[in-house]
Amino acid sequence: MGLTGKTALIGGSTQGIGLAAAQALAAFGARCILISRNESKLQAALNTLNTENNQKHSYLIADYAYPEQVREAVSGFLKQNTIDILINNTGGPAGGPIIEADEDAFLKTFQQHLICNHILAKLVVPGMKTVGYGRIINVISTSVKVPLKNLGVSNTIRGAVASWAKTLANELGQFGITVNNVLPGATSTERLSTIISNNAAKTGKSSEEIEKQMLAEVPARRFGKPEEIAAAIAFLASPAASYINGVSLPVDGGRTGSI
């Protein structure tokens, strides 16, 4: 399970699942490179990472809303470094019925998620091939299995990312590189709080009522914790998961209504 000597690039890593993933990977011994748009938050996040293996963690500044920023930041880092583990993770789009979505919302979300994922994969895969080890893990959503209500744009783009990832897994498996998706269910993050508040505003119900309804759909009867999602990510990043490739793994307390 150890990741000593491995370098991981983690998107959206100043809060929520992204930060928890970086903390888990660092605890396994990986050197973590955080990437996000807010430098002060990146500096704060960096200070929470385990350094027992003398890792030299660092960060890159880029906004996933602008794919060329992401390309430029990571290209510069790769001039003198390699990435063994890529965690594709960034915030989701605003909710709402799909019929009410603006066309531009689809394009922006497609760029922020699939295009940035693709740019990053193209940048890191050559180095992974050279060392014969690579892990690409995409943090998506359980909507890949069963579309979620009032998340029309997200459902659409998440499905596209899952298909992209499966195709990539088929192409890269022969090089010792695996590509997998982690599908968080309702997880106690800032995004979940926003979804609950928005649903409450639209329905006229209280946030407590909305939360109670959501919990009733989860067999575990609780929301997930970011560190529980991170544990699945860290496992898939490890040598122990070397024969797991091309899967979409729900980490949702049993909520998803499919096998």
Side-chain angles (χ1 to χ4, degrees):
M1 294 284 287
L3 291 172
T4 301
K6 304 294 188 214
T7 299
L9 176 67
I10 307 103
S13 41
T14 59
Q15 61 185 1
I17 292 170
L19 175 57
Q23 291 168 338
L25 292 167
F28 272 26
R31 172 195 182 199
C32 292
I33 312 302
L34 312 183
I35 180 168
S36 188
R37 63 187 177 184
N38 188 308
E39 185 168 14
S40 62
K41 289 184 177 180
L42 281 165
Q43 291 172 337
L46 208 65
N47 293 330
T48 71
L49 302 184
N50 185 298
T51 57
E52 290 180 2
N53 285 279
N54 298 312
Q55 308 101 304
K56 303 297 182 183
H57 306 301
S58 60
Y59 62 80
L60 303 172
I61 303 170
D63 188 339
Y64 277 56
Y66 304 96
E68 288 307 313
Q69 278 190 22
V70 176
R71 188 196 307 274
E72 183 177 348
V74 177
S75 294
F77 177 81
L78 288 172
K79 288 178 180 178
Q80 296 183 332
N81 302 271
T82 58
I83 297 293
D84 307 289
I85 301 160
L86 169 63
I87 311 299
N88 283 318
N89 175 62
T90 188
I98 197 167
I99 195 65
E100 296 177 6
D102 292 333
E103 292 81 357
D104 191 48
F106 290 97
L107 295 172
K108 287 182 177 178
T109 306
F110 188 81
Q111 285 212 47
Q112 186 176 352
H113 289 262
L114 196 144
I115 296 302
C116 284
N117 289 2
H118 189 63
I119 287 171
L120 291 171
K122 288 180 73 174
L123 289 173
V124 303
V125 162
M128 291 178 175
K129 285 183 177 179
T130 298
V131 300
Y133 185 98
R135 300 287 186 267
I136 298 174
I137 300 166
N138 310 295
V139 182
I140 316 182
S141 165
T142 56
S143 64
V144 165
K145 300 282 188 178
V146 178
L148 301 174
K149 294 179 181 178
N150 292 313
L151 289 173
V153 175
S154 179
N155 292 342
T156 303
I157 304 306
R158 307 287 196 185
V161 172
S163 292
W164 167 83
K166 181 64 174 177
T167 305
L168 195 63
N170 293 341
E171 294 179 1
L172 298 181
Q174 62 184 305
F175 302 108
I177 303 169
T178 65
V179 185
N180 293 296
N181 305 318
V182 169
L183 314 180
T187 308
S188 296
T189 62
E190 185 177 319
R191 176 162 171 77
L192 179 64
S193 298
T194 300
I195 290 172
I196 291 173
S197 298
N198 289 344
N199 285 345
K202 289 178 181 178
T203 61
K205 297 179 180 179
S206 67
S207 294
E208 290 73 18
E209 287 178 288
I210 297 297
E211 182 174 323
K212 186 176 181 180
Q213 289 176 354
M214 294 178 70
L215 287 171
E217 298 176 359
V218 183
R221 293 297 186 268
R222 66 177 178 83
F223 295 137
K225 302 173 184 177
E227 56 265 34
E228 292 176 308
I229 315 302
I233 293 169
F235 169 68
L236 290 173
S238 76
S242 59
Y243 205 56
I244 300 174
N245 190 30
V247 306
S248 290
L249 175 66
V251 187
D252 65 351
R255 184 189 69 179
T256 301
S258 65
I259 297 174

